[in-house]
């Protein structure tokens, strides 16, 4: 043992050995300092693998409550949103003494380019709304050895602010945001595309490595809150209008009716809240008139195009003795939306997911109506929307979310 220790000390005292170690050490430091991207290299590698825990997410939810609520609101469920085999985000539901009181979707990655992708400050969460749209009454979570036909709570991302839930514990059938059925194969393929889009964004964006996901000093400044110096604008009477869902308006067997639903919500808003009551006696009539004028088949398998919707809306409005103004944006910038929303006009909005090389070699779009916005001093920009699957006037979507690959806008209003 004594000889062994002597040999070790002899090696350590060897000046050449020490010089070599020091040279290598300083070479690594210099190389790192010369590359401004080196600080983000490790972050980029961790972005999709280092997922925060539900416990950490719950701590951030407490900060969110302190910044956005003044009543007895507390955290309810925390439900993972899956994309492929990864937890992409968490939907945190809130409740108060009166019942459900909004939700927020937090990014699940510890190293992130965005924190809150969407939120509502009242109403039901995403999971309950999905089940309601599918016409499924949620029962006790599945337990082995029973016949209970439900699973533990999981939401599946379909990109572009669309989701799905499983009908039963076998996972053989799923329902989308619009209450339409979708297969496990489609769920998996779309999930992989959503994940690929986020990976692509992480490679191009400068990722900010948060040292502590629940650090109040960091997240307190990054989480949007009502007590911020926030610019809030809603077009007149829009908070009092509850939009119709695609499932409620649907006629026939065609289920891809989110585009005519968006158009019907625009015209119904102008009929009910702006006094253009000749547009139709009720919302179903307005929806039916749009579909009939477009030539779109109630029982077809395709989707209504944006151009067909606009032409059909013009025809419906003209038949009622009014004029429809449509300004389709050439450049889809935040300033275009805020300009027209400030003028009191609705903005037909399409968010696209996937990439040109995605499923079926096309982009998948999600049509909705923008009726307001929030612009926080932290730089966060959210549209308040009427969506065809969520009967709420209190839903906010991040304008430049990681899951959005493109967007289209058109200012549409009746005069």
């Amino acid at each position: 043992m004594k000889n062994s220790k002597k040999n070790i000390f002899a090696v350590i005292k060897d000046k050449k050995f020490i010089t070599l170690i020091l040279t290598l050490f300083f070479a690594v430091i210099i190389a790192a300092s010369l590359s401004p991207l080196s600080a983000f290299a490790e972050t980029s590698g961790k972005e999709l693998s280092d997922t925060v825990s539900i416990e950490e997410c719950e701590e951030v939810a407490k900060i969110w409550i302190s910044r956005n609520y003044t009543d007895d609101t507390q955290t309810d469920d925390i439900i993972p949103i899956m994309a492929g085999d990864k937890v992409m985000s968490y939907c945190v539901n809130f409740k108060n003494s009166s019942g459900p009181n909004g939700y927020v979707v937090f990014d699940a990655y510890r190293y992130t380019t965005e924190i809150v992708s969407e939120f509502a400050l009242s109403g039901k969460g995403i999971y309950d709304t999905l089940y309601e749209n599918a016409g499924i009454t949620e029962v006790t979570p599945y337990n082995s050895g029973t016949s209970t036909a439900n699973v533990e709570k999981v939401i599946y991302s379909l990109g572009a602010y669309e989701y799905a839930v499983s009908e039963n514990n076998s996972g053989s059938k799923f329902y989308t945001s619009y209450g339409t059925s979708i297969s496990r194969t489609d769920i998996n393929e779309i999930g992989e595309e959503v994940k690929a889009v986020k990976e692509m964004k992480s490679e191009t964006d400068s990722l900010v490595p948060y040292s502590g996901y629940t650090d109040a000093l960091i997240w307190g400044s990054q989480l949007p809150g009502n007590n911020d110096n926030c610019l809030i604008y809603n077009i007149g009477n829009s908070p009092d209008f509850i939009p119709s869902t695609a499932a409620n308006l649907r006629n026939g067997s065609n289920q891809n009716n989110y585009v005519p639903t968006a158009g019907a919500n625009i015209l119904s808003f102008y009929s009910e809240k702006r006094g253009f009551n000749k547009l139709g006696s009720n919302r179903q009539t307005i929806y039916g008139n749009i579909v009939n004028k477009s030539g779109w088949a109630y029982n077809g398998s395709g989707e209504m195009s944006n151009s067909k919707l606009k032409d059909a809306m013009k025809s419906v409005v003209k038949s009622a003795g009014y004029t429809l103004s449509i300004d389709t944006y050439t450049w889809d910038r935040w300033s275009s939306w805020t300009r027209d929303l400030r003028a009191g006009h609705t903005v037909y909005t399409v968010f696209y997911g996937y990439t040109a090389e995605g499923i079926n070699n096309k982009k998948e779009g999600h049509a909705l109506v923008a009726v307001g916005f929030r612009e926080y001093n932290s730089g966060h920009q959210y549209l308040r929307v009427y969506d065809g699957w969520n009967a709420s006037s209190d839903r906010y979507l991040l304008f430049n979310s990681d899951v959005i690959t493109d967007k289209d806008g058109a200012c549409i209003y009746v005069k």
Side-chain angles (χ1 to χ4, degrees), residues 178-305:
Y178 295 100
T180 59
S181 61
I182 188 172
S183 69
R184 162 65 78 177
T185 299
D186 289 336
I187 286 286
N188 291 341
E189 289 182 352
I190 295 173
E192 289 300 321
E193 281 294 332
V194 173
K195 189 172 68 172
V197 168
K198 192 162 181 71
E199 287 174 337
M200 180 178 62
K201 291 278 287 186
S202 71
E203 292 175 357
T204 57
D205 292 347
S206 296
L207 302 178
V208 179
Y210 294 105
S211 58
Y213 189 86
T214 60
D215 188 330
L217 294 177
I218 295 175
W219 284 79
S221 63
Q222 292 295 322
L223 286 178
N226 284 334
N227 54 339
D228 290 338
N229 181 20
C230 174
L231 177 60
I232 301 176
Y233 194 90
N234 300 314
I235 68 174
N237 299 320
S238 60
D240 302 324
F241 179 87
I242 303 301
S244 296
T245 65
N248 288 338
L249 294 177
R250 184 180 300 132
N251 283 332
S253 62
N254 195 313
Q255 298 179 331
N256 300 312
N257 64 325
Y258 50 88
V259 170
T261 297
N265 276 326
I266 291 175
L267 296 190
S268 295
F269 170 73
Y270 279 93
S271 174
E272 298 174 22
K273 298 299 180 181
R274 296 287 175 87
F276 296 90
N277 49 26
K278 295 180 182 179
L279 288 171
S281 57
N282 55 57
R283 297 186 185 186
Q284 191 67 56
T285 298
I286 292 173
Y287 174 84
N289 289 339
I290 290 175
V291 172
N292 291 331
K293 294 288 186 181
S294 71
W296 181 70
Y298 276 112
N299 299 308
S301 59
E303 303 168 358
M304 183 185 294
S305 68

Side-chain angles (χ1 to χ4, degrees), residues 232-235 238 334 337 341 345 369-374 382-385 395-396:
I232 301 176
Y233 194 90
N234 300 314
I235 68 174
S238 60
W334 174 251
W337 268 263
L341 290 169
H345 305 319
V369 184
V371 292
F373 66 90
R374 287 191 174 208
Y382 295 88
L383 290 178
R384 190 169 71 83
V385 301
R395 187 174 182 227
Y396 291 84

